[in-house]
Amino acid sequence: MVTHADHRDDRAVVFDLDETLHRLRRFTVGGYAHVARRLESRMGRPAGSVFRRLWGMYREGNGRTAYQSICTELGLPPEEATSLLRDHRAHLPRLRLTRSADEALRQMRGTWRVGILTNGMPGLQRIKVAALDLDARVDAIVYADELVAGGKPALDVFARIAADLGVPPGRCVMVGDDGVADVQGGHAAGMRTIWLRRPNRPSPPEGTADAIVQSLAEVPAIAARLIGDSR
Ligand SMILES: [Mg+2]
């Protein structure tokens, strides 16, 4: 007879972090608000107007250059943009798991090994993991950029999370919003794949997604089916 304890060790689910378990938009909002408050205490510019300006640039698709632009507009030297960006990244974000992420983690933790495989600057990703209190809720976390520049979809990073979870790739289900980094990468590494469809995110190449979902609430049942285990 297979007990839950045995069972838990022979299958794994691996989640992407950004835009999968939480929405990055909240982090971005918090970063702009933090920097706007700092500029207010330094220069007396109302934080609300600076925030609205930064957020407006982000929404127009100019988030990457928002701090350069705000420095020009406020008459600050251009090199200040670097320190504003550092403040933005270092502020302790008030992040929250989506409700369906919270529920999927709760449901799967008992009967699956659970991992996180994330791209992005490892220092920044660690801040997010701490803010979301995820260390205590998963079995392994791999910061892919520490292994390979650019991280996913490099095959090595998928092999690493599978090894850290102690489960062969063929018994792992990779779940993420990026059709290339998460889905194509996971598929190439021999994992089953679930694409979490979000607006304006890269689609998976034909034949690489084993399932497509609109919400993580669908993941526990679909992942069990993909692994050939409907219990
Ligand atoms: Mg993502």
Side-chain angles (χ1 to χ4, degrees):
M1 183 183 139
V2 178
T3 67
H4 263 192
D6 295 330
H7 191 54
R8 186 172 178 275
D9 292 332
D10 75 357
R11 61 182 189 175
V13 61
V14 178
F15 291 100
D16 164 56
L17 181 62
D18 294 332
E19 306 299 356
T20 295
L21 292 177
H22 76 108
R23 304 310 297 268
L24 203 49
R25 182 185 160 96
R26 289 179 61 86
F27 181 73
T28 305
V29 169
Y32 287 150
H34 174 76
V35 170
R37 284 192 299 270
R38 303 245 340 208
L39 285 171
E40 179 176 75
S41 61
R42 234 174 84 189
M43 306 181 64
R45 297 292 290 247
S49 71
V50 172
F51 172 80
R52 277 191 298 278
R53 184 74 190 105
L54 287 166
W55 186 238
M57 289 189 268
Y58 175 81
R59 297 197 59 151
E60 288 157 16
N62 298 316
R64 282 182 188 281
T65 53
Y67 286 122
Q68 279 107 299
S69 303
I70 204 82
C71 284
T72 307
E73 290 175 17
L74 296 178
L76 291 167
E79 56 271 21
E80 275 291 313
T82 310
S83 92
L84 296 181
L85 186 58
R86 195 164 41 232
D87 284 349
H88 176 109
R89 287 179 173 152
H91 92 286
L92 190 65
R94 261 183 249 144
L95 296 182
R96 192 171 64 193
L97 296 174
T98 64
R99 187 189 299 262
S100 56
D102 182 58
E103 186 54 32
L105 287 174
R106 198 183 305 279
Q107 276 188 40
M108 298 182 86
R109 188 74 199 281
T111 52
W112 294 73
R113 304 280 287 169
V114 179
I116 292 173
L117 176 59
T118 178
N119 280 1
M121 293 192 310
L124 179 59
Q125 298 310 90
R126 283 197 163 84
I127 291 175
K128 295 176 190 168
V129 163
L132 291 164
D133 201 21
L134 282 169
D135 273 310
R137 301 193 60 183
V138 301
D139 301 294
I141 302 176
V142 168
Y143 299 91
D145 274 76
E146 287 181 342
L147 302 179
V148 179
K152 296 173 286 185
L155 296 184
D156 286 356
V157 304
F158 292 93
R160 171 63 67 89
I161 188 71
D164 286 358
L165 291 167
V167 175
R171 297 283 300 166
C172 293
V173 180
M174 177 72 211
V175 183
D177 68 294
D178 186 324
V180 175
D182 300 318
V183 175
Q184 185 180 26
H187 176 77
M191 296 182 175
R192 303 281 81 75
T193 58
I194 298 177
W195 183 41
L196 174 61
R197 190 199 290 271
R198 301 273 198 211
N200 306 316
R201 299 295 291 146
S203 303
E206 184 80 30
T208 60
D210 295 306
I212 300 174
V213 299
Q214 307 289 340
S215 160
L216 292 183
E218 302 168 65
V219 165
I222 291 177
R225 181 163 55 71
L226 291 177
I227 287 294
D229 190 340
S230 55
R231 242 168 308 184

mmCIF file of all heavy atoms in Angstrom, residues 59-85:
data_model
loop_
_atom_site.group_PDB
_atom_site.id
_atom_site.type_symbol
_atom_site.label_atom_id
_atom_site.label_comp_id
_atom_site.label_asym_id
_atom_site.label_seq_id
_atom_site.Cartn_x
_atom_site.Cartn_y
_atom_site.Cartn_z
ATOM 1 N N ARG A 59 2.881 52.450 -17.208
ATOM 2 C CA ARG A 59 1.698 51.972 -17.938
ATOM 3 C C ARG A 59 1.797 52.227 -19.430
ATOM 4 O O ARG A 59 1.178 51.539 -20.226
ATOM 5 C CB ARG A 59 0.434 52.622 -17.371
ATOM 6 C CG ARG A 59 0.230 52.212 -15.927
ATOM 7 C CD ARG A 59 -1.156 52.491 -15.485
ATOM 8 N NE ARG A 59 -2.100 51.764 -16.321
ATOM 9 C CZ ARG A 59 -3.283 51.353 -15.914
ATOM 10 N NH1 ARG A 59 -3.682 51.625 -14.707
ATOM 11 N NH2 ARG A 59 -4.081 50.703 -16.717
ATOM 12 N N GLU A 60 2.582 53.258 -19.794
ATOM 13 C CA GLU A 60 2.782 53.511 -21.227
ATOM 14 C C GLU A 60 3.858 52.594 -21.805
ATOM 15 O O GLU A 60 4.227 52.718 -22.972
ATOM 16 C CB GLU A 60 3.202 54.973 -21.446
ATOM 17 C CG GLU A 60 2.073 55.961 -21.234
ATOM 18 C CD GLU A 60 2.582 57.368 -20.899
ATOM 19 O OE1 GLU A 60 3.784 57.635 -21.125
ATOM 20 O OE2 GLU A 60 1.775 58.167 -20.393
ATOM 21 N N GLY A 61 4.418 51.723 -20.970
ATOM 22 C CA GLY A 61 5.452 50.808 -21.467
ATOM 23 C C GLY A 61 6.859 51.360 -21.330
ATOM 24 O O GLY A 61 7.809 50.827 -21.901
ATOM 25 N N ASN A 62 7.003 52.476 -20.568
ATOM 26 C CA ASN A 62 8.325 53.094 -20.415
ATOM 27 C C ASN A 62 8.902 52.909 -19.013
ATOM 28 O O ASN A 62 9.690 53.735 -18.542
ATOM 29 C CB ASN A 62 8.241 54.595 -20.748
ATOM 30 C CG ASN A 62 7.811 54.822 -22.183
ATOM 31 O OD1 ASN A 62 8.300 54.140 -23.090
ATOM 32 N ND2 ASN A 62 6.873 55.733 -22.401
ATOM 33 N N GLY A 63 8.524 51.801 -18.375
ATOM 34 C CA GLY A 63 8.991 51.549 -17.017
ATOM 35 C C GLY A 63 10.508 51.489 -16.901
ATOM 36 O O GLY A 63 11.082 51.919 -15.903
ATOM 37 N N ARG A 64 11.153 50.958 -17.916
ATOM 38 C CA ARG A 64 12.610 50.781 -17.842
ATOM 39 C C ARG A 64 13.356 52.108 -17.751
ATOM 40 O O ARG A 64 14.458 52.164 -17.208
ATOM 41 C CB ARG A 64 13.127 50.009 -19.063
ATOM 42 C CG ARG A 64 12.872 48.538 -18.959
ATOM 43 C CD ARG A 64 13.418 47.782 -20.149
ATOM 44 N NE ARG A 64 12.994 46.403 -20.106
ATOM 45 C CZ ARG A 64 13.561 45.481 -19.336
ATOM 46 N NH1 ARG A 64 14.595 45.793 -18.580
ATOM 47 N NH2 ARG A 64 13.092 44.247 -19.316
ATOM 48 N N THR A 65 12.784 53.152 -18.333
ATOM 49 C CA THR A 65 13.490 54.445 -18.332
ATOM 50 C C THR A 65 12.811 55.461 -17.417
ATOM 51 O O THR A 65 13.157 56.640 -17.430
ATOM 52 C CB THR A 65 13.558 55.017 -19.769
ATOM 53 O OG1 THR A 65 12.227 55.043 -20.300
ATOM 54 C CG2 THR A 65 14.443 54.157 -20.662
ATOM 55 N N ALA A 66 11.872 55.001 -16.588
ATOM 56 C CA ALA A 66 11.100 55.940 -15.764
ATOM 57 C C ALA A 66 11.998 56.755 -14.829
ATOM 58 O O ALA A 66 11.780 57.960 -14.653
ATOM 59 C CB ALA A 66 10.045 55.182 -14.957
ATOM 60 N N TYR A 67 13.005 56.110 -14.237
ATOM 61 C CA TYR A 67 13.840 56.854 -13.283
ATOM 62 C C TYR A 67 14.778 57.843 -13.980
ATOM 63 O O TYR A 67 15.022 58.921 -13.451
ATOM 64 C CB TYR A 67 14.582 55.894 -12.353
ATOM 65 C CG TYR A 67 13.641 55.297 -11.330
ATOM 66 C CD1 TYR A 67 13.463 53.931 -11.217
ATOM 67 C CD2 TYR A 67 12.902 56.126 -10.496
ATOM 68 C CE1 TYR A 67 12.571 53.400 -10.292
ATOM 69 C CE2 TYR A 67 12.005 55.608 -9.570
ATOM 70 C CZ TYR A 67 11.842 54.244 -9.473
ATOM 71 O OH TYR A 67 10.954 53.733 -8.569
ATOM 72 N N GLN A 68 15.262 57.511 -15.168
ATOM 73 C CA GLN A 68 16.024 58.503 -15.932
ATOM 74 C C GLN A 68 15.140 59.710 -16.247
ATOM 75 O O GLN A 68 15.551 60.857 -16.073
ATOM 76 C CB GLN A 68 16.549 57.934 -17.266
ATOM 77 C CG GLN A 68 17.816 57.112 -17.148
ATOM 78 C CD GLN A 68 17.517 55.629 -17.328
ATOM 79 O OE1 GLN A 68 16.754 55.076 -16.529
ATOM 80 N NE2 GLN A 68 18.082 54.988 -18.342
ATOM 81 N N SER A 69 13.915 59.422 -16.686
ATOM 82 C CA SER A 69 13.019 60.521 -17.074
ATOM 83 C C SER A 69 12.665 61.399 -15.879
ATOM 84 O O SER A 69 12.644 62.624 -15.995
ATOM 85 C CB SER A 69 11.736 59.966 -17.689
ATOM 86 O OG SER A 69 12.046 59.150 -18.782
ATOM 87 N N ILE A 70 12.391 60.776 -14.729
ATOM 88 C CA ILE A 70 11.976 61.584 -13.575
ATOM 89 C C ILE A 70 13.137 62.451 -13.100
ATOM 90 O O ILE A 70 12.938 63.589 -12.657
ATOM 91 C CB ILE A 70 11.388 60.707 -12.437
ATOM 92 C CG1 ILE A 70 10.449 61.531 -11.531
ATOM 93 C CG2 ILE A 70 12.462 60.102 -11.550
ATOM 94 C CD1 ILE A 70 9.069 61.708 -12.045
ATOM 95 N N CYS A 71 14.373 61.951 -13.216
ATOM 96 C CA CYS A 71 15.546 62.762 -12.852
ATOM 97 C C CYS A 71 15.635 63.988 -13.748
ATOM 98 O O CYS A 71 15.873 65.106 -13.283
ATOM 99 C CB CYS A 71 16.844 61.942 -12.955
ATOM 100 S SG CYS A 71 17.040 60.795 -11.579
ATOM 101 N N THR A 72 15.451 63.798 -15.036
ATOM 102 C CA THR A 72 15.478 64.929 -15.972
ATOM 103 C C THR A 72 14.389 65.931 -15.599
ATOM 104 O O THR A 72 14.633 67.138 -15.492
ATOM 105 C CB THR A 72 15.227 64.431 -17.417
ATOM 106 O OG1 THR A 72 16.170 63.389 -17.681
ATOM 107 C CG2 THR A 72 15.404 65.549 -18.432
ATOM 108 N N GLU A 73 13.192 65.415 -15.332
ATOM 109 C CA GLU A 73 12.062 66.308 -15.047
ATOM 110 C C GLU A 73 12.230 67.068 -13.739
ATOM 111 O O GLU A 73 11.771 68.196 -13.608
ATOM 112 C CB GLU A 73 10.752 65.491 -15.019
ATOM 113 C CG GLU A 73 10.370 64.994 -16.401
ATOM 114 C CD GLU A 73 9.143 64.085 -16.395
ATOM 115 O OE1 GLU A 73 8.401 64.095 -15.395
ATOM 116 O OE2 GLU A 73 8.940 63.377 -17.401
ATOM 117 N N LEU A 74 12.898 66.443 -12.764
ATOM 118 C CA LEU A 74 13.066 67.099 -11.457
ATOM 119 C C LEU A 74 14.386 67.862 -11.365
ATOM 120 O O LEU A 74 14.707 68.429 -10.320
ATOM 121 C CB LEU A 74 13.005 66.055 -10.327
ATOM 122 C CG LEU A 74 11.684 65.305 -10.152
ATOM 123 C CD1 LEU A 74 11.794 64.270 -9.038
ATOM 124 C CD2 LEU A 74 10.534 66.270 -9.867
ATOM 125 N N GLY A 75 15.166 67.839 -12.451
ATOM 126 C CA GLY A 75 16.447 68.546 -12.439
ATOM 127 C C GLY A 75 17.512 67.864 -11.593
ATOM 128 O O GLY A 75 18.428 68.510 -11.082
ATOM 129 N N LEU A 76 17.395 66.552 -11.431
ATOM 130 C CA LEU A 76 18.415 65.797 -10.699
ATOM 131 C C LEU A 76 19.461 65.295 -11.695
ATOM 132 O O LEU A 76 19.138 65.042 -12.852
ATOM 133 C CB LEU A 76 17.782 64.590 -10.004
ATOM 134 C CG LEU A 76 16.837 64.883 -8.839
ATOM 135 C CD1 LEU A 76 16.053 63.626 -8.474
ATOM 136 C CD2 LEU A 76 17.622 65.400 -7.645
ATOM 137 N N PRO A 77 20.722 65.137 -11.239
ATOM 138 C CA PRO A 77 21.733 64.601 -12.154
ATOM 139 C C PRO A 77 21.365 63.183 -12.610
ATOM 140 O O PRO A 77 20.776 62.424 -11.819
ATOM 141 C CB PRO A 77 23.020 64.587 -11.323
ATOM 142 C CG PRO A 77 22.606 64.782 -9.912
ATOM 143 C CD PRO A 77 21.259 65.430 -9.900
ATOM 144 N N PRO A 78 21.676 62.836 -13.856
ATOM 145 C CA PRO A 78 21.248 61.546 -14.414
ATOM 146 C C PRO A 78 21.711 60.342 -13.593
ATOM 147 O O PRO A 78 21.013 59.326 -13.523
ATOM 148 C CB PRO A 78 21.886 61.506 -15.814
ATOM 149 C CG PRO A 78 22.558 62.805 -16.028
ATOM 150 C CD PRO A 78 22.422 63.657 -14.817
ATOM 151 N N GLU A 79 22.872 60.456 -12.934
ATOM 152 C CA GLU A 79 23.376 59.297 -12.176
ATOM 153 C C GLU A 79 22.492 58.990 -10.962
ATOM 154 O O GLU A 79 22.557 57.906 -10.390
ATOM 155 C CB GLU A 79 24.847 59.475 -11.764
ATOM 156 C CG GLU A 79 25.157 60.712 -10.959
ATOM 157 C CD GLU A 79 25.501 61.909 -11.833
ATOM 158 O OE1 GLU A 79 25.117 61.910 -13.032
ATOM 159 O OE2 GLU A 79 26.123 62.869 -11.329
ATOM 160 N N GLU A 80 21.653 59.963 -10.563
ATOM 161 C CA GLU A 80 20.700 59.699 -9.476
ATOM 162 C C GLU A 80 19.733 58.560 -9.815
ATOM 163 O O GLU A 80 19.211 57.894 -8.930
ATOM 164 C CB GLU A 80 19.874 60.953 -9.183
ATOM 165 C CG GLU A 80 20.517 61.929 -8.230
ATOM 166 C CD GLU A 80 20.583 61.379 -6.809
ATOM 167 O OE1 GLU A 80 19.561 60.847 -6.327
ATOM 168 O OE2 GLU A 80 21.661 61.471 -6.217
ATOM 169 N N ALA A 81 19.507 58.379 -11.122
ATOM 170 C CA ALA A 81 18.548 57.340 -11.545
ATOM 171 C C ALA A 81 18.964 55.974 -11.005
ATOM 172 O O ALA A 81 18.119 55.160 -10.604
ATOM 173 C CB ALA A 81 18.441 57.307 -13.068
ATOM 174 N N THR A 82 20.269 55.731 -10.974
ATOM 175 C CA THR A 82 20.768 54.437 -10.480
ATOM 176 C C THR A 82 20.411 54.236 -9.018
ATOM 177 O O THR A 82 20.001 53.154 -8.599
ATOM 178 C CB THR A 82 22.304 54.356 -10.657
ATOM 179 O OG1 THR A 82 22.607 54.730 -11.998
ATOM 180 C CG2 THR A 82 22.807 52.960 -10.378
ATOM 181 N N SER A 83 20.563 55.303 -8.228
ATOM 182 C CA SER A 83 20.283 55.126 -6.800
ATOM 183 C C SER A 83 18.770 55.043 -6.538
ATOM 184 O O SER A 83 18.331 54.346 -5.621
ATOM 185 C CB SER A 83 20.994 56.197 -5.966
ATOM 186 O OG SER A 83 20.177 57.311 -5.759
ATOM 187 N N LEU A 84 17.983 55.740 -7.356
ATOM 188 C CA LEU A 84 16.527 55.595 -7.209
ATOM 189 C C LEU A 84 16.096 54.164 -7.532
ATOM 190 O O LEU A 84 15.255 53.575 -6.843
ATOM 191 C CB LEU A 84 15.788 56.584 -8.126
ATOM 192 C CG LEU A 84 15.990 58.071 -7.838
ATOM 193 C CD1 LEU A 84 15.171 58.917 -8.811
ATOM 194 C CD2 LEU A 84 15.612 58.411 -6.397
ATOM 195 N N LEU A 85 16.704 53.611 -8.583
ATOM 196 C CA LEU A 85 16.368 52.246 -8.967
ATOM 197 C C LEU A 85 16.781 51.256 -7.873
ATOM 198 O O LEU A 85 16.073 50.292 -7.573
ATOM 199 C CB LEU A 85 17.064 51.893 -10.292
ATOM 200 C CG LEU A 85 16.701 50.551 -10.921
ATOM 201 C CD1 LEU A 85 15.192 50.457 -11.178
ATOM 202 C CD2 LEU A 85 17.461 50.364 -12.233
#
